[in-house]
Amino acid sequence: MDGYVQTLSGGKTKRYVQMLDICDEPALIAQYRKWHSEEYSWKEIRDGIRQVGILEMEIYILGNHLVMIVDTPADFDWPSAMDRLATLPRQAEWEAFVAKFQGCSVDARSDEKWQMMERMFRLY
């Protein structure tokens, strides 16, 4: 494994880490991967993520377990940003679309699906 190159922001940032289990069906996992690829992901969703102040977002997968890492400016307010994100163009449509892979309600917002994780170790 070569690892992943990170872009440094040049200032203080916050990092949020969340997890979500998706449906444990290989065909659905393959489709979920497809719809999160650079080629097939919806431009409006990527734009909206940046519009609410998110600097970087990554999703990692192992089987049907997902971990999302979100980097934001230090003064980022998660609840306010998620409220705003939910109102942006195509966001509700996207959440309903990916709900079939996530096994949740089509009305659920992103912040209702993804579970915030607590950091328990850091190499200081």
Side-chain angles (χ1 to χ4, degrees):
M1 176 58 90
D2 293 333
Y4 303 96
V5 175
Q6 295 299 113
T7 302
L8 299 177
S9 68
K12 281 194 170 192
T13 60
K14 284 184 188 174
R15 172 165 286 170
Y16 298 88
V17 180
Q18 298 177 296
M19 61 84 52
L20 173 71
D21 288 341
I22 57 175
C23 297
D24 196 8
E25 297 178 31
L28 287 178
I29 292 170
Q31 286 183 42
Y32 196 76
R33 283 177 168 271
K34 171 187 168 181
W35 289 109
H36 283 81
S37 71
E38 191 171 340
E39 182 180 358
Y40 288 97
S41 62
W42 299 4
K43 182 183 182 317
E44 299 91 343
I45 302 308
R46 292 189 316 271
D47 291 348
I49 290 167
R50 293 218 183 275
Q51 211 174 340
V52 300
I54 292 172
L55 302 172
E56 184 64 73
M57 178 184 285
E58 299 175 322
I59 299 175
Y60 294 81
I61 186 169
L62 177 63
N64 70 317
H65 310 292
L66 304 178
V67 173
M68 179 165 53
I69 301 170
V70 178
D71 291 327
T72 69
D75 62 351
F76 189 80
D77 178 2
W78 186 271
S80 296
M82 293 302 104
D83 286 345
R84 183 167 174 231
L85 182 65
T87 68
L88 294 179
R90 298 196 75 193
Q91 187 66 35
E93 181 185 354
W94 171 257
E95 296 301 345
F97 175 70
V98 295
K100 65 184 171 192
F101 307 105
Q102 299 166 334
C104 59
S105 166
V106 297
D107 297 325
R109 294 175 12 159
S110 178
D111 59 335
E112 295 169 331
K113 301 174 188 184
W114 289 87
Q115 301 301 304
M116 196 68 73
M117 298 178 77
E118 176 186 354
R119 179 170 68 189
M120 59 170 263
F121 173 79
R122 176 176 176 230
L123 183 62
Y124 298 93

